[in-house]
Amino acid sequence: QVQLVESGGGSVQAGGSLRLSCAAFGYTYSSYCMGWFRQAPGKEREGVALIITGTGVTWYSDSVKGRFTISQDNAKNTVYLQMNSLKPEDTAMYYCAADPGLRKTCGATWRGKEYRDSGQGTQVTVSS
């Protein structure tokens, strides 16, 4: 059974850092598309960072480029989102999503609706 489980959210002051984790249980694929998305109250879900696991290919939204880093640990089947220089506007529920069938179009999956699997989310709150 496939399950994506996020962790690492919390409350931090502006300028601080957090590292989110997304563990992909039951994922036996050697490579798949995974993305981190966020949704703030009253706003649409937006893509933050995307990765094709096993290749190191990554993409970032303009709003987080230079501050966030997406990475993977193949041995743990886990993808991370290192978030530095956090801003109050980064406050949102953060979700990870994955789909082995999206490798060819991974870099275009910014809306997140295409993914087969997604987690329950972890809250990130940044105070000024």
Side-chain angles (χ1 to χ4, degrees):
Q1 183 177 354
V2 171
Q3 188 178 15
L4 301 179
V5 180
E6 302 98 334
S7 61
S11 297
V12 65
Q13 288 192 328
S17 299
L18 284 173
R19 190 178 78 158
L20 306 183
S21 300
C22 177
F25 296 100
Y27 252 68
T28 58
Y29 310 97
S30 59
S31 180
Y32 49 91
C33 175
M34 178 172 276
W36 279 101
F37 302 85
R38 66 187 182 187
Q39 187 166 18
K43 295 187 177 181
E44 291 190 355
R45 181 178 295 198
E46 63 168 334
V48 173
L50 310 170
I51 187 170
I52 300 178
T53 66
T55 69
V57 177
T58 60
W59 296 265
Y60 297 93
S61 68
D62 289 341
S63 61
V64 306
K65 197 173 295 182
R67 300 188 297 124
F68 291 10
T69 303
I70 189 170
S71 63
Q72 62 176 112
D73 185 328
N74 285 336
K76 295 181 179 180
N77 222 14
T78 299
V79 171
Y80 303 98
L81 185 68
Q82 178 67 44
M83 306 186 296
N84 298 328
S85 302
L86 283 162
K87 305 175 181 180
E89 51 263 43
D90 293 318
T91 295
M93 184 70 78
Y94 283 71
Y95 302 86
C96 64
D99 193 324
L102 292 178
R103 291 183 72 253
K104 291 186 177 181
T105 59
C106 191
T109 59
W110 291 106
R111 296 184 65 188
K113 295 182 179 180
E114 309 91 328
Y115 286 78
R116 186 189 74 182
D117 306 307
S118 62
Q120 294 300 308
T122 185
Q123 178 68 36
V124 172
T125 302
V126 184
S127 58
S128 58

